[in-house]
Amino acid sequence: MKRCVAAATALVLVTAGCTYPGAGAKKEAPGVSRVAETRLLQLKGQVLSDGPHGEKPAPASAADLTPNEIAQVKAKHATAAIVMHYAGNDWAIAQIAGLKHEFTNLGIRVLAVTDANFKPDQQVSNLETVLSQKPDIIVSIPTDPVATADAYKRAAATGARLVFMDNVPNGMAPGRDYVSMVSADNYGNGVVSAHLLAKSLGGEGEIGVIYHEADFFVTKQRWQGFTATIKQDYPGIRIVEEKGIAGPDFAGDAQNVANAYLSRHPKLDGIWAVWDVPAEGVMAAARSYGRYDLAVATEDLGRNVAIALAKNQIVVGLGAQMPFDQGVTEARLGAGALLGKSEPPYVALSALPVDHTNVLEAWKQVYHSDPPEYLRDSYQR
């Protein structure tokens, strides 16, 4: 294990006078790599997740509208509101961009975009404010399926068409109370990240897990997909600790957990974090310990984990969602519901494996834009 103590500059990726190994200092084992690569190829275009009520996933194309249907929607001069759990990360920004893009194409005016900062009481207040504007469509992701349920039921009672991202309130049924739920294949994203982490470790080592300690459907799926795949496919990898974080300071909470892991397990080989913001905290902990050989895997292609992948430092791979495309799909489902269409109750988009080799191309797929200059400049060939 290479270490370099750089006290005041521990959070900097490269410190003068120090050299670091690339992400995942162990050499890949050919047999493990073949297993991982085969599994990842088999996953391409597949969805492993079922919906919150056990529904089988429908593809995003199920939300498509014909030119005649689009014309009918435009003639309604409808309105929409977007009620987020929190809106400050790259995933949420891309979701909102996809929604706004498609609502504009459909002639639907967005009245409001709200951010609850992952606080259920704030989201209930946001919903009440939004309802005063009488939107025809509400697209939302509940922060807590129990605490927000009554507020969403009141929203449904107004006649607004509800389309959910990733999570649904308790006691609400598709087709009766809401139109549909749209999600990434979160179980599949957990599976993808497990294969990429295992490949980087050569199928051997000790790892820690940081999950989301909340009643949140999709983050549970990620955790389940990751841990099941490690246990079933990679017996040489042992999960030595698992701990949940509840936020709202997910990066700070994850950093504290990772610090504890690295203190108790000095030879720890890797850590899995439930999405990119907690992974940023894990990266900060790794740098503070001089553990640039620690292998970190996660979900969601946020900018900071993308930079780490481009530099081939600490982060070894992730399962990416397609948030812009999810937003487009949600907007189309809401529009279809305005026309009385019967929409599928659960729509899911397949996971995208991302590592150092394809991070620039993956950025284009995820965000529908060229990689920013800072990411291109970070790429180490």
Side-chain angles (χ1 to χ4, degrees):
M1 177 192 312
K2 280 191 179 180
R3 294 181 182 272
C4 178
V5 178
T9 53
L11 299 184
V12 181
L13 283 171
V14 178
T15 303
C18 302
T19 58
Y20 303 112
K26 292 188 175 183
K27 291 183 179 179
E28 292 184 5
V32 173
S33 293
R34 282 195 294 273
V35 169
E37 288 164 4
T38 298
R39 297 285 194 275
L40 290 170
L41 281 173
Q42 291 169 344
L43 286 171
K44 188 174 183 180
Q46 302 298 309
V47 173
L48 303 183
S49 302
D50 288 336
H53 302 295
E55 307 98 328
K56 294 303 176 186
S61 59
D64 287 352
L65 299 166
T66 67
N68 182 55
E69 288 171 335
I70 292 171
Q72 292 179 58
V73 171
K74 287 182 175 180
K76 289 182 175 293
H77 304 288
T79 59
I82 303 168
V83 180
M84 300 299 294
H85 57 345
Y86 75 122
N89 70 338
D90 295 304
W91 177 89
I93 291 167
Q95 277 264 2
I96 294 166
L99 281 161
K100 286 184 171 180
H101 171 85
E102 193 61 16
F103 278 139
T104 297
N105 288 344
L106 295 168
I108 296 171
R109 183 164 60 94
V110 176
L111 299 174
V113 179
T114 68
D115 179 358
N117 197 29
F118 241 113
K119 297 176 181 177
D121 56 343
Q122 181 62 54
Q123 188 165 49
V124 169
S125 176
N126 291 345
L127 269 170
E128 291 171 351
T129 300
V130 159
L131 288 176
S132 69
Q133 301 179 67
K134 299 181 180 179
D136 299 297
I137 300 168
I138 297 174
V139 182
S140 185
I141 175 168
T143 55
D144 182 296
V146 176
T148 61
D150 287 345
Y152 283 111
K153 289 173 184 176
R154 289 194 296 273
T158 69
R161 277 68 168 184
L162 302 184
V163 180
F164 289 114
M165 315 169 184
D166 284 359
N167 205 12
V168 296
N170 282 14
M172 297 186 75
R176 184 191 71 192
D177 305 305
Y178 66 91
V179 176
S180 182
M181 186 191 94
V182 180
S183 180
D185 179 11
N186 282 281
Y187 190 95
N189 271 309
V191 172
V192 162
S193 61
H195 289 308
L196 291 171
L197 181 59
K199 181 182 175 184
S200 76
L201 296 177
E204 295 181 348
E206 295 184 346
I207 63 172
V209 167
I210 300 176
Y211 60 90
H212 184 203
E213 192 173 36
D215 187 9
F216 210 73
F217 176 66
V218 294
T219 52
K220 284 182 180 179
Q221 286 186 313
R222 297 176 184 187
W223 178 27
Q224 292 163 352
F226 176 82
T227 55
T229 302
I230 291 294
K231 292 172 182 176
Q232 291 169 13
D233 290 355
Y234 301 102
I237 297 176
R238 187 166 70 93
I239 298 173
V240 295
E241 283 204 52
E242 297 182 74
K243 187 170 178 59
I245 55 174
D249 182 10
F250 289 101
D253 291 350
Q255 183 173 354
N256 290 336
V257 173
N259 281 334
Y261 284 178
L262 293 169
S263 176
R264 287 193 290 266
H265 307 281
K267 295 182 180 181
L268 195 70
D269 297 287
I271 294 177
W272 178 84
V274 66
W275 72 85
D276 63 307
V277 175
E280 292 173 12
V282 177
M283 287 191 287
R287 292 167 187 153
S288 69
Y289 271 78
R291 286 298 310 275
Y292 288 81
D293 61 331
L294 188 74
V296 174
T298 188
E299 272 73 46
D300 299 346
L301 189 62
R303 69 181 66 192
N304 291 326
V305 293
I307 290 170
L309 280 172
K311 289 178 177 289
N312 205 22
Q313 293 180 339
I314 304 178
V315 179
V316 297
L318 56 87
Q321 302 187 68
M322 307 296 287
F324 187 98
D325 293 331
Q326 288 169 234
V328 168
T329 303
E330 291 149 9
R332 290 175 179 173
L333 288 166
L338 292 178
L339 302 180
K341 293 183 67 175
S342 177
E343 304 289 11
Y346 173 59
V347 177
L349 289 76
S350 59
L352 175 65
V354 186
D355 62 13
H356 174 69
T357 65
N358 73 330
V359 62
L360 298 182
E361 181 57 36
W363 187 277
K364 293 182 183 179
Q365 291 177 255
V366 170
Y367 295 110
H368 289 237
S369 63
D370 289 334
E373 185 177 357
Y374 66 78
L375 186 59
R376 298 195 305 271
D377 291 346
S378 296
Y379 194 82
Q380 300 295 315
R381 299 188 183 278

Coordinates of all heavy atoms in Angstrom, one line a residue, residues 255-339:
Q255 N -18.3 10.6 4.6 CA -16.9 10.8 5.0 C -16.6 10.3 6.4 O -15.6 9.7 6.7 CB -16.4 12.3 4.8 CG -15.0 12.5 5.1 CD -14.5 14.0 4.8 OE1 -15.3 14.8 4.3 NE2 -13.3 14.3 5.1
N256 N -17.5 10.6 7.3 CA -17.3 10.2 8.7 C -17.3 8.6 8.8 O -16.5 8.0 9.5 CB -18.4 10.7 9.6 CG -18.3 12.2 9.8 OD1 -17.2 12.8 9.7 ND2 -19.4 12.9 10.1
V257 N -18.2 8.0 8.0 CA -18.3 6.5 8.0 C -17.0 6.0 7.4 O -16.4 5.0 7.9 CB -19.5 6.0 7.3 CG1 -19.5 4.5 7.1 CG2 -20.8 6.5 8.0
A258 N -16.6 6.5 6.3 CA -15.4 6.0 5.6 C -14.2 6.2 6.5 O -13.3 5.4 6.5 CB -15.2 6.7 4.3
N259 N -14.1 7.3 7.2 CA -13.0 7.6 8.1 C -12.9 6.4 9.2 O -11.8 5.9 9.5 CB -13.1 8.9 8.8 CG -12.7 10.1 8.0 OD1 -11.9 9.9 7.1 ND2 -13.2 11.2 8.3
A260 N -14.1 6.1 9.7 CA -14.2 5.0 10.7 C -13.8 3.7 10.1 O -13.0 2.9 10.7 CB -15.6 4.9 11.3
Y261 N -14.2 3.4 8.9 CA -13.8 2.2 8.2 C -12.3 2.1 8.1 O -11.7 1.0 8.3 CB -14.5 2.1 6.8 CG -15.9 1.7 6.8 CD1 -16.6 1.7 5.5 CD2 -16.7 1.5 7.9 CE1 -17.9 1.4 5.5 CE2 -18.0 1.1 7.8 CZ -18.7 1.1 6.6 OH -20.0 0.8 6.5
L262 N -11.7 3.1 7.6 CA -10.3 3.1 7.3 C -9.5 3.1 8.6 O -8.3 2.5 8.6 CB -9.9 4.4 6.5 CG -10.5 4.4 5.0 CD1 -10.3 5.7 4.4 CD2 -9.8 3.3 4.2
S263 N -10.0 3.6 9.6 CA -9.3 3.5 10.9 C -9.4 2.1 11.5 O -8.4 1.6 12.0 CB -10.0 4.5 11.9 OG -9.4 4.4 13.2
R264 N -10.5 1.5 11.4 CA -10.7 0.1 11.9 C -10.1 -1.0 11.0 O -9.8 -2.0 11.5 CB -12.2 -0.2 12.2 CG -12.8 0.6 13.4 CD -14.1 0.0 13.8 NE -15.1 0.3 12.8 CZ -16.0 1.4 12.8 NH1 -15.8 2.3 13.8 NH2 -16.9 1.6 11.9
H265 N -10.0 -0.7 9.7 CA -9.6 -1.7 8.8 C -8.5 -1.1 7.9 O -8.8 -0.7 6.8 CB -10.7 -2.2 7.9 CG -11.9 -2.6 8.7 ND1 -12.0 -3.9 9.3 CD2 -13.1 -2.0 9.0 CE1 -13.2 -4.0 9.9 NE2 -13.8 -2.9 9.7
P266 N -7.3 -0.9 8.4 CA -6.2 -0.3 7.7 C -5.9 -0.9 6.3 O -5.4 -0.2 5.4 CB -5.0 -0.4 8.6 CG -5.6 -0.6 10.0 CD -6.8 -1.4 9.7
K267 N -6.3 -2.1 6.1 CA -6.0 -2.8 4.8 C -7.2 -2.9 4.0 O -7.2 -3.7 3.0 CB -5.4 -4.2 5.1 CG -4.1 -4.2 5.8 CD -3.5 -5.6 6.0 CE -2.1 -5.6 6.7 NZ -1.6 -6.9 6.8
L268 N -8.2 -2.1 4.3 CA -9.5 -2.1 3.5 C -9.1 -1.8 2.0 O -8.4 -0.9 1.7 CB -10.4 -1.1 4.0 CG -11.9 -1.2 3.6 CD1 -12.5 -2.4 4.2 CD2 -12.7 0.1 3.9
D269 N -9.7 -2.7 1.1 CA -9.4 -2.5 -0.3 C -10.4 -1.7 -1.1 O -10.0 -1.1 -2.1 CB -9.4 -3.9 -0.9 CG -8.3 -4.8 -0.3 OD1 -7.2 -4.6 -0.7 OD2 -8.7 -5.7 0.4
G270 N -11.6 -1.6 -0.6 CA -12.6 -0.8 -1.4 C -13.8 -0.4 -0.5 O -14.0 -0.9 0.6
I271 N -14.5 0.6 -1.0 CA -15.8 1.0 -0.4 C -16.8 1.3 -1.5 O -16.5 1.9 -2.5 CB -15.6 2.3 0.4 CG1 -14.7 2.1 1.6 CG2 -16.9 2.9 0.9 CD1 -14.4 3.3 2.5
W272 N -18.0 0.8 -1.3 CA -19.2 1.1 -2.1 C -20.0 2.2 -1.5 O -20.4 2.0 -0.3 CB -20.0 -0.1 -2.4 CG -21.2 0.1 -3.3 CD1 -21.2 0.1 -4.6 CD2 -22.5 0.3 -2.8 NE1 -22.5 0.4 -5.1 CE2 -23.3 0.4 -4.0 CE3 -23.1 0.3 -1.6 CZ2 -24.7 0.7 -3.9 CZ3 -24.5 0.5 -1.5 CH2 -25.3 0.7 -2.7
A273 N -20.4 3.2 -2.2 CA -21.3 4.2 -1.7 C -22.5 4.3 -2.6 O -22.4 4.1 -3.8 CB -20.6 5.6 -1.7
V274 N -23.7 4.6 -2.0 CA -25.0 4.4 -2.6 C -25.2 5.4 -3.8 O -26.0 5.0 -4.7 CB -26.1 4.4 -1.6 CG1 -26.2 5.8 -0.9 CG2 -27.4 4.0 -2.1
W275 N -24.6 6.5 -3.8 CA -24.7 7.4 -5.0 C -23.5 8.3 -4.9 O -22.6 8.2 -4.0 CB -26.0 8.1 -5.2 CG -26.4 9.2 -4.3 CD1 -26.0 10.6 -4.4 CD2 -27.2 9.2 -3.1 NE1 -26.6 11.3 -3.4 CE2 -27.3 10.5 -2.6 CE3 -27.9 8.1 -2.5 CZ2 -28.1 10.8 -1.5 CZ3 -28.7 8.4 -1.4 CH2 -28.8 9.7 -0.9
D276 N -23.4 9.2 -5.9 CA -22.1 9.9 -6.1 C -21.8 10.9 -5.0 O -20.6 11.2 -4.7 CB -22.1 10.7 -7.5 CG -23.2 11.7 -7.6 OD1 -24.4 11.4 -7.3 OD2 -22.9 12.9 -7.9
V277 N -22.8 11.6 -4.4 CA -22.6 12.5 -3.4 C -21.9 11.9 -2.1 O -20.9 12.3 -1.6 CB -23.8 13.3 -3.0 CG1 -23.5 14.3 -1.8 CG2 -24.3 14.2 -4.2
P278 N -22.5 10.8 -1.6 CA -21.8 10.0 -0.6 C -20.4 9.6 -1.0 O -19.4 9.6 -0.2 CB -22.7 8.8 -0.3 CG -24.0 9.3 -0.6 CD -23.8 10.2 -1.8
A279 N -20.2 9.2 -2.3 CA -18.9 8.8 -2.8 C -17.9 9.9 -2.7 O -16.7 9.7 -2.5 CB -19.0 8.3 -4.2
E280 N -18.4 11.2 -2.9 CA -17.5 12.3 -2.7 C -16.9 12.3 -1.3 O -15.7 12.6 -1.1 CB -18.2 13.6 -3.0 CG -18.6 13.7 -4.5 CD -19.4 15.0 -4.8 OE1 -19.5 15.8 -3.8 OE2 -20.0 15.1 -5.9
G281 N -17.7 12.0 -0.3 CA -17.3 12.0 1.1 C -16.3 10.8 1.3 O -15.3 11.0 2.0
V282 N -16.5 9.7 0.6 CA -15.5 8.6 0.7 C -14.2 9.0 0.1 O -13.1 8.7 0.6 CB -16.1 7.3 0.0 CG1 -15.1 6.2 0.0 CG2 -17.4 6.9 0.7
M283 N -14.3 9.7 -1.1 CA -13.0 10.1 -1.7 C -12.2 11.1 -0.8 O -11.0 11.0 -0.7 CB -13.3 10.8 -3.0 CG -13.7 9.9 -4.1 SD -13.8 10.7 -5.7 CE -15.2 11.8 -5.6
A284 N -13.0 12.0 -0.1 CA -12.3 12.9 0.8 C -11.6 12.1 2.0 O -10.5 12.4 2.4 CB -13.3 13.9 1.4
A285 N -12.3 11.1 2.5 CA -11.7 10.3 3.5 C -10.4 9.6 3.0 O -9.4 9.5 3.7 CB -12.7 9.3 4.1
A286 N -10.5 9.0 1.8 CA -9.4 8.3 1.3 C -8.2 9.2 1.1 O -7.1 8.8 1.4 CB -9.8 7.7 -0.1
R287 N -8.4 10.4 0.7 CA -7.3 11.4 0.5 C -6.7 11.8 1.8 O -5.5 11.9 2.0 CB -7.8 12.6 -0.3 CG -8.2 12.3 -1.7 CD -9.0 13.4 -2.3 NE -9.5 13.1 -3.7 CZ -10.5 13.6 -4.2 NH1 -11.3 14.5 -3.6 NH2 -10.9 13.2 -5.4
S288 N -7.6 11.9 2.8 CA -7.1 12.4 4.1 C -6.2 11.3 4.8 O -5.3 11.5 5.6 CB -8.2 12.7 5.1 OG -9.0 11.6 5.4
Y289 N -6.5 10.0 4.4 CA -5.7 8.9 4.9 C -4.5 8.5 4.0 O -3.8 7.6 4.2 CB -6.6 7.6 5.1 CG -7.2 7.5 6.4 CD1 -8.3 8.3 6.7 CD2 -6.7 6.7 7.4 CE1 -8.9 8.2 8.0 CE2 -7.3 6.6 8.6 CZ -8.4 7.4 8.9 OH -9.0 7.3 10.2
G290 N -4.4 9.3 2.9 CA -3.3 8.9 1.9 C -3.6 7.6 1.1 O -2.7 7.0 0.6
R291 N -4.9 7.3 1.1 CA -5.3 6.0 0.5 C -5.8 6.2 -0.9 O -6.9 5.9 -1.3 CB -6.4 5.3 1.4 CG -5.9 4.7 2.7 CD -4.9 3.6 2.4 NE -5.4 2.6 1.5 CZ -6.2 1.6 1.8 NH1 -6.5 1.4 3.0 NH2 -6.6 0.8 0.8
Y292 N -4.8 6.6 -1.8 CA -5.2 6.7 -3.2 C -5.3 5.4 -3.9 O -5.6 5.4 -5.1 CB -4.1 7.7 -3.8 CG -4.3 9.1 -3.4 CD1 -3.8 9.5 -2.2 CD2 -5.0 10.0 -4.1 CE1 -3.9 10.8 -1.7 CE2 -5.2 11.3 -3.7 CZ -4.6 11.7 -2.5 OH -4.8 13.0 -2.1
D293 N -5.0 4.3 -3.2 CA -5.1 3.0 -3.8 C -6.5 2.4 -3.4 O -6.8 1.3 -3.9 CB -4.0 2.1 -3.3 CG -4.1 1.9 -1.7 OD1 -4.5 2.9 -1.1 OD2 -3.7 0.8 -1.2
L294 N -7.3 3.1 -2.6 CA -8.6 2.6 -2.3 C -9.5 2.6 -3.5 O -9.5 3.6 -4.3 CB -9.3 3.5 -1.2 CG -10.6 3.0 -0.6 CD1 -10.3 1.8 0.3 CD2 -11.3 4.1 0.1
A295 N -10.2 1.5 -3.7 CA -11.1 1.4 -4.9 C -12.5 1.8 -4.5 O -13.1 1.1 -3.5 CB -11.1 0.0 -5.5
V296 N -13.1 2.8 -5.1 CA -14.5 3.2 -4.7 C -15.4 3.0 -5.9 O -15.1 3.4 -7.1 CB -14.5 4.7 -4.3 CG1 -15.9 5.2 -4.1 CG2 -13.6 4.9 -3.1
A297 N -16.6 2.4 -5.7 CA -17.6 2.3 -6.7 C -18.9 2.9 -6.2 O -19.1 3.0 -5.0 CB -17.8 0.8 -7.0
T298 N -19.7 3.3 -7.1 CA -20.9 4.0 -6.7 C -22.0 4.0 -7.9 O -21.8 3.2 -8.8 CB -20.6 5.5 -6.3 OG1 -21.7 6.1 -5.8 CG2 -20.1 6.3 -7.5
E299 N -23.0 4.8 -7.7 CA -24.0 5.1 -8.8 C -24.1 6.6 -9.1 O -23.8 7.4 -8.2 CB -25.4 4.6 -8.3 CG -25.6 3.1 -8.7 CD -24.8 2.2 -7.7 OE1 -24.8 2.5 -6.5 OE2 -24.3 1.3 -8.2
D300 N -24.5 6.9 -10.3 CA -24.7 8.3 -10.8 C -23.4 8.9 -11.2 O -22.5 9.0 -10.5 CB -25.4 9.1 -9.7 CG -26.8 8.6 -9.3 OD1 -27.3 7.7 -10.1 OD2 -27.3 9.0 -8.3
L301 N -23.5 9.5 -12.4 CA -22.3 10.1 -13.0 C -22.3 11.6 -12.7 O -22.5 12.5 -13.6 CB -22.3 9.9 -14.5 CG -21.0 10.3 -15.3 CD1 -19.8 9.5 -14.8 CD2 -21.2 10.1 -16.8
G302 N -22.1 12.0 -11.4 CA -21.9 13.4 -11.1 C -20.5 13.9 -11.5 O -19.6 13.1 -11.7
R303 N -20.4 15.2 -11.5 CA -19.1 15.8 -12.0 C -17.9 15.4 -11.2 O -16.8 15.1 -11.8 CB -19.3 17.3 -12.1 CG -19.3 18.0 -10.7 CD -19.4 19.5 -10.9 NE -20.7 19.8 -11.5 CZ -21.0 21.0 -12.0 NH1 -20.1 22.0 -12.0 NH2 -22.2 21.2 -12.5
N304 N -18.0 15.3 -9.9 CA -16.8 15.0 -9.1 C -16.3 13.5 -9.3 O -15.1 13.3 -9.4 CB -17.0 15.4 -7.7 CG -17.1 16.9 -7.5 OD1 -16.4 17.6 -8.2 ND2 -17.9 17.3 -6.5
V305 N -17.3 12.6 -9.3 CA -16.9 11.2 -9.5 C -16.4 11.0 -11.0 O -15.6 10.2 -11.3 CB -18.0 10.2 -9.2 CG1 -18.2 10.3 -7.7 CG2 -19.3 10.5 -9.9
A306 N -17.0 11.8 -11.9 CA -16.6 11.8 -13.3 C -15.1 12.2 -13.5 O -14.4 11.6 -14.2 CB -17.5 12.6 -14.2
I307 N -14.8 13.3 -12.8 CA -13.4 13.7 -12.8 C -12.5 12.7 -12.3 O -11.4 12.4 -12.8 CB -13.2 15.1 -12.0 CG1 -14.0 16.2 -12.8 CG2 -11.8 15.4 -11.8 CD1 -14.1 17.5 -12.0
A308 N -12.9 12.1 -11.1 CA -12.0 11.0 -10.6 C -11.8 9.8 -11.5 O -10.7 9.3 -11.7 CB -12.6 10.5 -9.3
L309 N -12.9 9.5 -12.2 CA -12.8 8.4 -13.2 C -11.9 8.8 -14.4 O -11.1 8.0 -14.9 CB -14.2 8.1 -13.8 CG -15.1 7.1 -13.0 CD1 -16.5 7.1 -13.6 CD2 -14.5 5.7 -12.9
A310 N -12.0 10.1 -14.8 CA -11.2 10.6 -15.9 C -9.7 10.6 -15.5 O -8.9 10.2 -16.3 CB -11.6 12.0 -16.3
K311 N -9.4 10.9 -14.3 CA -8.0 10.9 -13.8 C -7.6 9.5 -13.4 O -6.4 9.3 -13.2 CB -7.9 11.8 -12.5 CG -8.1 13.3 -12.8 CD -8.0 14.1 -11.5 CE -8.1 15.6 -11.7 NZ -6.8 16.1 -12.3
N312 N -8.5 8.5 -13.4 CA -8.2 7.2 -13.0 C -7.7 7.2 -11.6 O -6.7 6.5 -11.2 CB -7.2 6.5 -13.9 CG -7.3 5.0 -13.9 OD1 -8.3 4.4 -13.6 ND2 -6.2 4.3 -14.3
Q313 N -8.3 7.9 -10.7 CA -8.0 8.0 -9.3 C -9.1 7.7 -8.4 O -10.2 8.3 -8.4 CB -7.4 9.4 -9.0 CG -6.1 9.7 -9.7 CD -5.6 11.1 -9.4 OE1 -6.4 12.0 -9.0 NE2 -4.3 11.4 -9.6
I314 N -9.0 6.7 -7.5 CA -9.9 6.3 -6.5 C -11.2 5.7 -7.0 O -11.5 4.5 -6.7 CB -10.2 7.5 -5.5 CG1 -8.9 8.0 -4.9 CG2 -11.1 7.0 -4.4 CD1 -9.1 9.2 -3.9
V315 N -12.0 6.4 -7.8 CA -13.2 5.8 -8.3 C -12.9 4.9 -9.4 O -12.2 5.3 -10.4 CB -14.2 6.9 -8.7 CG1 -15.5 6.3 -9.3 CG2 -14.5 7.8 -7.6
V316 N -13.4 3.6 -9.3 CA -13.0 2.6 -10.3 C -14.2 2.3 -11.3 O -14.0 1.8 -12.4 CB -12.6 1.3 -9.7 CG1 -11.3 1.5 -8.9 CG2 -13.7 0.7 -8.8
G317 N -15.4 2.7 -10.9 CA -16.5 2.4 -11.8 C -17.9 2.8 -11.1 O -18.0 2.9 -9.9
L318 N -18.9 2.9 -11.9 CA -20.2 3.2 -11.4 C -21.3 2.7 -12.4 O -21.0 2.5 -13.6 CB -20.4 4.7 -11.1 CG -20.1 5.7 -12.2 CD1 -21.4 5.9 -13.0 CD2 -19.6 7.0 -11.6
G319 N -22.5 2.6 -11.9 CA -23.7 2.4 -12.7 C -24.4 3.7 -12.8 O -24.7 4.4 -11.9
A320 N -24.5 4.2 -14.1 CA -25.1 5.5 -14.3 C -26.6 5.4 -14.7 O -27.0 4.5 -15.4 CB -24.4 6.2 -15.4
Q321 N -27.4 6.3 -14.1 CA -28.7 6.5 -14.6 C -28.8 7.4 -15.8 O -27.7 7.9 -16.2 CB -29.5 7.1 -13.4 CG -29.5 6.4 -12.1 CD -30.5 7.0 -11.1 OE1 -31.7 6.9 -11.3 NE2 -30.0 7.5 -10.1
M322 N -29.9 7.5 -16.4 CA -30.1 8.4 -17.5 C -31.2 9.4 -17.2 O -32.3 9.4 -17.6 CB -30.6 7.5 -18.7 CG -29.7 6.3 -19.1 SD -28.1 6.8 -19.6 CE -28.4 7.4 -21.2
P323 N -30.8 10.4 -16.3 CA -31.8 11.3 -15.7 C -32.4 12.2 -16.7 O -33.6 12.5 -16.6 CB -31.0 12.1 -14.7 CG -29.5 11.9 -15.1 CD -29.4 10.6 -15.7
F324 N -31.7 12.7 -17.7 CA -32.3 13.5 -18.7 C -33.4 12.8 -19.5 O -34.6 13.3 -19.6 CB -31.3 14.1 -19.7 CG -31.8 15.1 -20.7 CD1 -31.6 16.4 -20.5 CD2 -32.5 14.7 -21.8 CE1 -32.1 17.4 -21.4 CE2 -33.0 15.6 -22.7 CZ -32.8 17.0 -22.5
D325 N -33.1 11.5 -19.9 CA -34.1 10.7 -20.6 C -35.3 10.3 -19.7 O -36.4 10.2 -20.1 CB -33.4 9.4 -21.1 CG -32.4 9.7 -22.2 OD1 -32.6 10.7 -22.9 OD2 -31.5 8.9 -22.3
Q326 N -35.0 10.2 -18.4 CA -36.1 9.9 -17.4 C -37.0 11.1 -17.3 O -38.2 10.9 -17.3 CB -35.5 9.6 -16.0 CG -34.8 8.2 -15.9 CD -34.0 8.0 -14.7 OE1 -32.9 7.7 -14.7 NE2 -34.7 8.2 -13.5
G327 N -36.4 12.3 -17.3 CA -37.3 13.5 -17.3 C -38.2 13.6 -18.5 O -39.3 14.0 -18.4
V328 N -37.6 13.3 -19.7 CA -38.4 13.4 -20.9 C -39.5 12.4 -20.9 O -40.7 12.7 -21.2 CB -37.5 13.0 -22.1 CG1 -38.3 12.8 -23.4 CG2 -36.5 14.2 -22.4
T329 N -39.2 11.2 -20.4 CA -40.2 10.1 -20.2 C -41.4 10.5 -19.3 O -42.6 10.3 -19.6 CB -39.6 8.8 -19.8 OG1 -38.6 8.5 -20.7 CG2 -40.6 7.7 -19.7
E330 N -41.0 11.1 -18.2 CA -42.0 11.6 -17.2 C -42.9 12.6 -17.8 O -44.1 12.6 -17.6 CB -41.3 12.1 -16.0 CG -40.6 11.1 -15.1 CD -39.3 11.5 -14.5 OE1 -39.0 12.8 -14.4 OE2 -38.6 10.7 -13.9
A331 N -42.3 13.6 -18.5 CA -43.2 14.6 -19.2 C -44.1 14.0 -20.1 O -45.3 14.4 -20.2 CB -42.3 15.6 -19.8
R332 N -43.7 13.0 -20.9 CA -44.6 12.4 -21.9 C -45.7 11.6 -21.2 O -46.8 11.6 -21.7 CB -43.7 11.5 -22.8 CG -42.8 12.3 -23.8 CD -41.9 11.3 -24.6 NE -41.1 12.1 -25.5 CZ -40.1 11.5 -26.2 NH1 -39.9 10.2 -26.1 NH2 -39.4 12.3 -27.0
L333 N -45.4 10.9 -20.1 CA -46.4 10.2 -19.4 C -47.5 11.1 -18.9 O -48.7 10.8 -19.0 CB -45.8 9.4 -18.3 CG -45.0 8.2 -18.7 CD1 -44.1 7.7 -17.5 CD2 -45.9 7.1 -19.2
G334 N -47.1 12.3 -18.3 CA -48.0 13.2 -17.8 C -48.9 13.8 -18.9 O -50.1 13.9 -18.8
A335 N -48.3 14.1 -20.1 CA -49.0 14.6 -21.2 C -50.0 13.5 -21.7 O -51.2 13.9 -22.0 CB -48.1 15.0 -22.3
G336 N -49.6 12.3 -21.8 CA -50.5 11.2 -22.3 C -51.7 11.1 -21.3 O -52.8 10.8 -21.8
A337 N -51.4 11.2 -20.0 CA -52.5 11.1 -19.1 C -53.6 12.2 -19.3 O -54.8 12.0 -19.1 CB -52.0 11.2 -17.7
L338 N -53.1 13.4 -19.7 CA -54.1 14.5 -20.0 C -55.0 14.1 -21.1 O -56.2 14.7 -21.2 CB -53.3 15.8 -20.4 CG -52.5 16.5 -19.3 CD1 -51.8 17.7 -19.9 CD2 -53.4 16.9 -18.2
L339 N -54.6 13.2 -22.0 CA -55.4 12.8 -23.1 C -56.2 11.6 -22.8 O -57.0 11.0 -23.6 CB -54.5 12.5 -24.3 CG -53.7 13.6 -24.9 CD1 -52.8 13.1 -26.1 CD2 -54.5 14.8 -25.2

